[in-house]
């Protein structure tokens, strides 16, 4: 990663060293390690919680709560946030261009990993259930015994879950 350029037009530099143009994403530059890394550092609720909860842990929990064939889709349902950030819904609904950008990127991610787009109703229902659980335990009942994991653990379990679902070992590089 020694000669990476900070400014590269419409591209962002990913953890693995790829330059990804989020406006015209090349699926070859999207990898599960970048997704796991990015989501493990991304806070839920714009970080406005009593304890840090990563999008990676949220996605893992969604995946674990679903039955096959929805588990991989549940794990990757927020994968676009790796590159675009997690913008809270009340703000996102006022950014139609952002929503189009996110949908296009998610369409490319979904095709790369073989999951449906748009996201299945089963995944949306579980995502909402997890959202309500997280809101209650990390925002309403701030002294909750619910303790989210740190970002490195979240990244490891995300990668492990992905490996289990595709039947292949994936390492935390």
């Amino acid at each position: 990663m020694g000669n990476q350029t900070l400014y590269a037009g419409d591209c962002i530099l990913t953890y693995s060293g790829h330059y990804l143009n989020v406006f015209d994403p090349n699926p070859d530059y999207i990898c599960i390690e970048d997704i796991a890394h990015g989501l493990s550092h991304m806070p839920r609720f714009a970080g406005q919680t009593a304890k840090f909860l990563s999008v990676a842990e949220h996605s893992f929990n969604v995946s674990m709560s679903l039955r096959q064939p929805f588990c991989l889709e549940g794990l990757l349902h927020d994968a676009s946030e790796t590159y675009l950030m997690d913008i809270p819904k009340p703000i996102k609904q006022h950014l139609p261009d952002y929503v189009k950008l996110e949908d296009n990127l998610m369409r490319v991610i979904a095709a790369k990993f073989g999951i449906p787009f748009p996201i299945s109703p089963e995944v949306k229902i579980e995502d909402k259930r997890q959202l309500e659980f997280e809101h209650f335990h990390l925002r309403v009942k701030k002294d909750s015994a619910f303790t989210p994991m740190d970002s490195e653990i979240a990244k490891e379990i995300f990668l492990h879950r992905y490996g289990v679902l595709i039947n292949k070992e994936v390492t935390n590089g």
Side-chain angles (χ1 to χ4, degrees):
M1 263 218 215
N3 359 331
Q4 263 69 5
T5 303
L6 176 60
Y7 303 104
D10 289 338
C11 296
I12 61 169
L13 178 61
T14 67
Y15 179 71
S16 66
H18 296 293
Y19 285 96
L20 181 70
N21 181 338
V22 297
F23 300 97
D24 185 20
N26 180 337
D28 292 340
Y29 298 148
I30 295 170
C31 68
I32 196 65
E33 293 81 8
D34 284 340
I35 293 170
H37 183 81
L39 295 183
S40 72
H41 286 86
M42 189 79 49
R44 294 281 289 157
F45 302 102
Q48 302 303 310
T49 55
K51 301 171 189 169
F52 172 79
L53 175 68
S54 72
V55 175
E57 182 175 352
H58 161 79
S59 298
F60 172 82
N61 291 336
V62 168
S63 177
M64 291 299 291
S65 298
L66 290 165
R67 61 181 175 76
Q68 284 292 9
F70 304 104
C71 299
L72 182 60
E73 183 183 355
L75 187 67
L76 297 174
H77 77 281
D78 283 336
S80 63
E81 294 175 9
T82 298
Y83 310 102
L84 300 178
M85 309 300 290
D86 182 15
I87 295 179
K89 189 170 255 164
I91 298 167
K92 192 185 293 187
Q93 68 189 8
H94 294 284
L95 304 172
D97 290 343
Y98 176 89
V99 172
K100 285 183 206 166
L101 178 65
E102 183 180 47
D103 283 352
N104 182 57
L105 181 55
M106 196 60 210
R107 186 174 289 107
V108 171
I109 292 168
K112 173 164 181 121
F113 291 100
I115 61 172
F117 183 84
I119 298 301
S120 304
E122 292 83 353
V123 174
K124 287 182 181 184
I125 290 167
E126 185 55 34
D127 183 36
K128 185 173 188 275
R129 195 180 76 69
Q130 291 293 329
L131 173 91
E132 291 167 353
F133 174 87
E134 295 159 0
H135 169 72
F136 178 77
H137 287 282
L138 298 175
R139 299 172 88 191
V140 174
K141 187 180 176 191
K142 293 179 182 178
D143 63 346
S144 171
F146 173 64
T147 304
M149 55 192 73
D150 71 34
S151 62
E152 281 305 308
I153 302 290
K155 180 179 176 179
E156 287 176 23
I157 61 139
F158 185 98
L159 286 171
H160 178 75
R161 178 72 172 152
Y162 176 77
V164 165
L165 292 171
I166 65 159
N167 214 8
K168 179 179 173 189
E169 186 175 338
V170 181
T171 59
N172 182 359

